[in-house]
Amino acid sequence: MLSRDTAARWLRLLRSVGRAFEEHVAGPRETTWREFLSQHQPPDPPLFSKACLDRWGDRRWEPSDADRKAADRLHTQLVSRITTQKLSYLTGVEKTALDSVYSLFEKTRTIVDEGEGCRHFGTLAWDVLNNHVRHFTAKWHKHAESGALAALDTTDEFRAELERLRGIFLRFDEFLLHLRDGRRPHGAAEPGNPREAAIEKDIKDHVLAWGISEKYGGLDPGQAKDIKEAERKAILRRRARNQPQRDARFLADYNNREHAVALALSGGGIRSATFSLGVLVALAGRNILPQFDYLSTVSGGGYLGAFLSAFLNSPGGDEIGLRSTQLPFSRRDGEAKALRHIRHRSKYLATGSVWQHAAMIAAQLYGMVLNTLAIVYLLAVAVFVERWIRSLSILEGHEAVVKLVTLTVFLACALAALAILRFDFAPKRLADRAVLYSLLLYLAVVVWYGLPYLLLMPQWTPPRLKVDIDKEGPLWLVVSGAIPLVASALAGVFGRVLKRTSLLLLALSVIATPVFFFGLYVVLSTLAARGIHFTLPIVGELTTLQSELLVVLGGGAIYFLLLNINATSPHRHYRDKLSEAFVIQPGDRKPFESDVPIRLSDLGKDHDRAPYHLINAALNVPGSPNQALQGRLTDFFLFSPAFCGSPITGYFPTRQWEEKDDHLDLGTAMAISAAAAAPQMGLGTVSRASFWLALLNVRLGYWLRRPDRVSIGPPGLLCLLHEMRGSMRETHARLNVTDGGHIENLGVYELLRRRCKYIVSIDGEEDARMTFHALTTLQRLAYIDFGINIDIDLDDLRLSEKGLSRSHFKFCRIRYPKEARGSEEEFGYLLYVKLSLTGNEGEFLRRYRLDEPAFPHHSTADQFFGEAQYEAYRSLGEHIGDRLFLPTMVGDEIAKSSEVIVEEWFLALARSLLDHPPPATRSPKAP
């Protein structure tokens, strides 16, 4: 018995034989327009209009030579234009492509006018142009005139429609060839794109093994190996749990892939957290988030990172996760409740009752008073020591002799230095030290004998300004001390505007601290000269010496044994407010438990839902003798589930840090990473302001106890002095850690250290002028420390005359130095998503920008987002996230998919966004 397919083939063969026999006997049958055109009339969409077929369909198809010549001329126009050639994402100019399509009307008109008798051609050419092309050119001509084609994500829509129109033109060109030659052309596959083919081969054939390189990682090889093994174990365990919904063959490759995929959330306070949330909502809708191995956060990006790590570490089943159908991103009942919780606490610093706000203000004032009294105490000790030495009368009456001796010593050392430098008697550095020490000795003697006269300065005031010292004290000195303080403030605020006076303001601001110390010293000396007497219960009145000893010993007990500057700084309240808003988990009695105590070492211990979290901070070491840190004043400090530390201090298991500090948990690490305001701020430190910031308790940083050092008691007066002076070192038992943005604000640096192949970087920093400070800083640090080059062209992100960017993102290669033999470079890929506007956003965002011209770069100091402001940044992030899956950029299959595979997504992005072919040399493919 014949199968159904075989019978159908025999039936078609018999019919064709019958038609051939009929034509042989009766002659060829006349062909109508409808019959001829049906060969080029697919249903979606039809090439020729119904009106055309209704009017001409039953007429005899008999094209003339003029029709054939006209078809040939228009075919030449089509194949030489953008109409039949694909417009790659980064090639061609949209306005030029539009003009090329529009010019077909003029070219067709000329062909028809010059080709007398081309009735068939003219009728059908105008039918195609009027029904398929005219509405396209009319629509986009208006947009082109308004400048809308300046934005890439507007041109995405243009390119999508142009690509659909190109399909029409390809079929129309096939019809023209049929008309010209009398037979249908043989179908041929569209020629491939050599650039895209090379990029695809480059990405697929070459493996970049992830992990800290023992050669280029910048760490001790033994520690690099330990960290790599710990992270690899955690990531492989999570991969086995969080598998994409794909076939078994793919899952085998997925679980065994050698490369790592990472997501980085930048600094920028609540602005960056809100913008990043919008982008992540868009990524969650594609179910791509579970495939990220690392989550690296810094500063404001850490708010959102801590939220994800805490929420995904909740007890519970499969209802919690990073898929679109899981909490916290599921939208089954409108906006997810967890995300709504964050929305309602976008003014996290302003939340709470009046009593809580009053307590925060009181705590800040209390810290300021303690810091000020600490300086008073130290100066009081100096006054008491000076008075005690003078009371011994050892140097009294011998001023001339002492000055002569010390001056003689100085001159002798100066002459000896000349001899050393001339005849090389000894190491030349001894000459410099001899001159320095002898000069300091002479100056100390001069100051010692001159100090009593300086302390009488309040009595030198002019007669009209004379004040009663016994009642009002050296008031004029206090007033004069305020002058450099005001100058310092003016230099910071108006330094760029008041350029002519900036040097004077700077000079005055530099002497602000010495004047303050001297004035305070004078006040304390004046009080001490009057005599201090305390009366104690039972003991009675104390002598002056006893009273002074009481001040010294009592102050020492308070400041060396009781004071904890971590507790008296605003860090504690800042951390609590952040944790109440972001460190949440589903609760039993209420929707969410906030400020949940979660140890870093417990992240992923029982639940492998979240990517491996790297929290970036800055270790302030401005006093370090290490020459490599002299230009940075800081080092990279990392919190992670397995290890914490920095290259200069070494890394220790996270549990050891936690054992040394009971307060160290996820909330504390998040607050440290976002401690933007501090006396020492790494690359952004203003040395002349450090003392005043510490004195006024503007200290969001935190002092950590090193696991390998012995320290007694909490961080106290010595740590406070280090902050004021900027004298912290990596060798100290206490380490001062602040905002990771003080050294690198993208959070990508540690991902480069781990040689991740695919990195998505979401940059929400304040950058109103689009100078890309964070990215260019990363480029510099990555090249200096790791030899890594980041090839990126930022022109499409820069601002136009209208203050808009052309795109929201860029895609580029990361060039890692070779790790194995036979390779010149190894390659990763960076998708850089920038907080930006292109002008084609929705009406809500357009209207919001009219009301808020600073949008989308409100100051990072603004941490009090209202509902409209929060929604503007969130919706902008989601808008940009959706643009990362445009059909013209990633293809229809990925654009329409709800199960996007990250490698396929990056490959599609590379085809569209890499603007040059890959280099010739590559590392060999791994076996």
Side-chain angles (χ1 to χ4, degrees), residues 266-300:
S266 82
I270 191 66
R271 178 192 60 250
S272 177
T274 309
F275 170 69
S276 298
L277 174 60
V279 178
L280 262 60
V281 167
L283 296 181
R286 310 285 175 158
N287 290 313
I288 203 172
L289 287 179
Q291 301 169 54
F292 285 96
D293 300 309
Y294 285 103
L295 172 63
S296 180
T297 64
V298 58
S299 195

Side-chain angles (χ1 to χ4, degrees), residues 650-802:
Y651 293 80
F652 304 94
T654 302
R655 287 194 176 277
Q656 293 185 15
W657 294 89
E658 293 169 340
E659 290 170 359
K660 291 284 187 177
D661 190 334
D662 293 336
H663 298 286
L664 180 57
D665 59 8
L666 178 61
T668 301
M670 168 185 61
I672 292 173
S673 177
Q680 304 301 319
M681 298 183 288
L683 298 173
T685 299
V686 181
S687 57
R688 65 178 183 274
S690 296
F691 171 79
W692 300 105
L693 290 173
L695 188 72
L696 299 175
N697 211 34
V698 183
R699 300 173 41 254
L700 289 177
Y702 194 83
W703 287 88
L704 287 170
R705 182 184 296 179
R706 285 186 57 151
D708 62 335
R709 296 285 193 275
V710 177
S711 59
I712 301 175
L717 181 58
L718 291 180
C719 291
L720 180 64
L721 293 177
H722 284 312
E723 284 195 68
M724 291 179 170
R725 297 172 52 236
S727 57
M728 301 90 105
R729 292 190 176 192
E730 68 277 11
T731 56
H732 291 166
R734 296 280 183 175
L735 302 175
N736 181 253
V737 191
T738 57
D739 194 316
H742 291 160
I743 187 169
E744 195 272 305
N745 202 39
L746 284 183
V748 176
Y749 182 91
E750 291 294 341
L751 301 177
L752 298 179
R753 191 195 300 276
R754 286 153 176 78
R755 301 176 74 86
C756 295
K757 184 172 184 178
Y758 302 116
I759 301 175
V760 177
S761 170
I762 302 176
D763 184 2
E765 74 167 347
E766 181 185 352
D767 190 11
R769 295 189 298 164
M770 288 294 184
T771 58
F772 312 101
H773 178 266
L775 179 60
T776 53
T777 298
L778 172 68
Q779 288 179 301
R780 171 172 56 84
L781 296 174
Y783 180 75
I784 294 173
D785 295 351
F786 306 136
I788 294 173
N789 284 287
I790 301 176
D791 295 339
I792 190 167
D793 179 4
L794 299 171
D795 285 345
D796 286 337
L797 297 176
R798 302 186 197 280
L799 297 180
S800 67
E801 294 179 358
K802 294 183 178 181

Side-chain angles (χ1 to χ4, degrees), residues 508-531:
L508 290 174
S509 65
V510 168
I511 66 172
T513 302
V515 169
F516 172 80
F517 272 93
F518 178 70
L520 192 56
Y521 193 90
V522 170
V523 172
L524 294 174
S525 294
T526 303
L527 293 175
R530 299 175 188 171

